[in-house]
Amino acid sequence: MSDTLRKAAVTGHPVAHSRSPLVHGYWLKKHGIEGDYGRMDVAPDDAERFYGDFAASGLVGANVTVPHKETAAASCDWLDDAARSMGAANTLWIDETGKLCGANTDGLGFLGNLDQLAPGWDANRGMALVLGAGGAARAIVWALLSRNYTAVHIVNRTQEKAQKIADEFGSKTVAHSWDKLGNLLGEADLLVNTTSLGMSGKPPLEIDLSTLPGSALVTDIVYAPLETDLLKQAAAQGNRTVDGLGMLLHQAVPGFERWFGIRPEVDEDLRKLILRDLGVSA
Ligand code: ATR
């Protein structure tokens, strides 16, 4: 390996399960770039030192996964709008002047997936209904507001967590308890599941979509199984659906471009590669 080889990695704890090396490895090979993308496990008690002196890692940049997204953001000299408003960074790079820069690309990944698979999805910019209030929900609320959605309603088992996001993002965002879901569905232009419900090995997402308008788009961030029961039910009643795999792939695009200088595409071969690795049938 030469000294000039540009090296990036997924950093976090744990990182063994991360598919990021497979995604970036695919793009490096496709574009014939002599770079490297690996895994770097950063122990929780070492995170402040690691991100505080990121240049010492020898990496030109990194992805950051749980539980270090907040520590990474706090170590940056510059943050993009999404990372600043979420207080969490998932993509780092060192700029020409040596500054550590951070972005949060989860929201962009969500938008990139819908833009690719459901062009025109945000034409109405009406009411979006978000199920769940974890880190993914926060990124998706940010993304929807960046596209000027008129209202974003968040429904969560623990209403206080939904309320916390609503308070952060302002008056277009409204928090509800789970039992309000039935009343809200009839108004939704977009329904997004950001909970882990419906994922293989997790409890099912119990929901009756019969009052959802026929024009509403339904999407899930769960991608194992690829077609969740939520998406099956939506498709069966004629709603447009988009699965969650693309969010995982599109969130990786800005980092690759920063580190290796080419904006890569999320193509069908990449989707197939990741699905095979996940053991998920398309
Ligand atoms: P992430 O940061 O990846 O989005 P998370 O913070 O664990 O993950 O959030 C998972 C979401 O799934 C939360 O909204 C959680 O609801 P709570 O905030 O009430 O915990 C939701 N979730 C997980 N298991 C659930 C269950 N059995 N019933 C209802 N909601 C559930």
Side-chain angles (χ1 to χ4, degrees):
M1 212 179 273
S2 82
D3 287 347
T4 54
L5 190 76
R6 293 179 68 77
K7 221 173 163 239
V10 54
T11 63
H13 183 78
V15 288
H17 64 286
S18 172
R19 261 74 189 191
S20 292
L22 208 54
V23 175
H24 290 285
Y26 170 84
W27 285 329
L28 285 169
K29 193 165 166 218
K30 179 176 170 185
H31 294 287
I33 296 172
E34 277 201 52
D36 185 72
Y37 185 102
R39 291 187 169 88
M40 213 174 261
D41 197 296
V42 178
D45 61 4
D46 193 32
E48 254 178 64
R49 184 209 59 80
F50 179 84
Y51 296 106
D53 187 15
F54 183 76
S57 70
L59 302 171
V60 297
N63 284 124
V64 186
T65 186
V66 283
H68 297 329
K69 292 183 186 185
E70 288 79 13
T71 306
S75 306
C76 286
D77 302 304
W78 178 89
L79 292 173
D80 77 350
D81 181 47
R84 206 175 327 112
S85 68
M86 284 176 244
N90 73 343
T91 303
L92 304 179
W93 68 96
I94 299 172
D95 75 4
E96 335 46 73
T97 65
K99 282 194 178 126
L100 181 62
C101 301
N104 195 310
T105 66
D106 288 331
L108 294 177
F110 174 79
L111 297 175
N113 186 33
L114 294 187
D115 287 342
Q116 184 176 39
L117 297 181
W121 66 276
D122 59 346
N124 283 344
R125 297 184 161 94
M127 193 273 246
L129 186 50
V130 176
L131 310 181
R138 181 174 267 110
I140 287 169
V141 170
W142 174 87
L144 293 169
L145 293 175
S146 80
R147 289 288 174 96
N148 296 318
Y149 260 76
T150 315
V152 179
H153 290 262
I154 311 168
V155 172
N156 197 42
R157 173 179 61 179
T158 313
Q159 193 181 346
E160 301 81 66
K161 279 172 69 183
Q163 191 58 52
K164 194 155 180 288
I165 299 181
D167 291 345
E168 277 167 35
F169 285 103
S171 60
K172 284 175 154 187
T173 318
V174 189
H176 304 271
S177 55
W178 198 267
D179 57 334
K180 299 292 183 309
L181 181 56
N183 303 343
L184 291 163
L185 276 169
E187 307 292 318
D189 295 299
L190 174 70
L191 174 65
V192 189
N193 176 42
T194 78
T195 74
S196 48
L197 298 173
M199 193 186 292
S200 313
K202 301 276 179 175
L205 172 57
E206 281 165 16
I207 188 168
D208 175 1
L209 298 181
S210 54
T211 57
L212 188 71
S215 57
L217 175 71
V218 180
T219 185
D220 203 325
I221 70 160
V222 172
Y223 51 81
L226 192 61
E227 192 184 28
T228 58
D229 286 344
L230 173 71
L231 297 183
K232 268 190 199 144
Q233 190 187 150
Q237 64 179 42
N239 288 90
R240 263 203 307 180
T241 62
V242 174
D243 68 65
L245 180 64
M247 179 173 170
L248 173 78
L249 304 178
H250 280 275
Q251 64 78 27
V253 168
F256 188 91
E257 186 177 17
R258 290 274 181 196
W259 311 321
F260 303 116
I262 286 177
R263 189 166 180 85
E265 264 182 43
V266 173
D267 60 23
E268 206 37 50
D269 284 348
L270 177 60
R271 277 179 67 90
K272 281 189 193 140
L273 176 74
I274 303 302
L275 285 173
R276 257 199 317 275
D277 190 65
L278 289 165
V280 172
S281 53

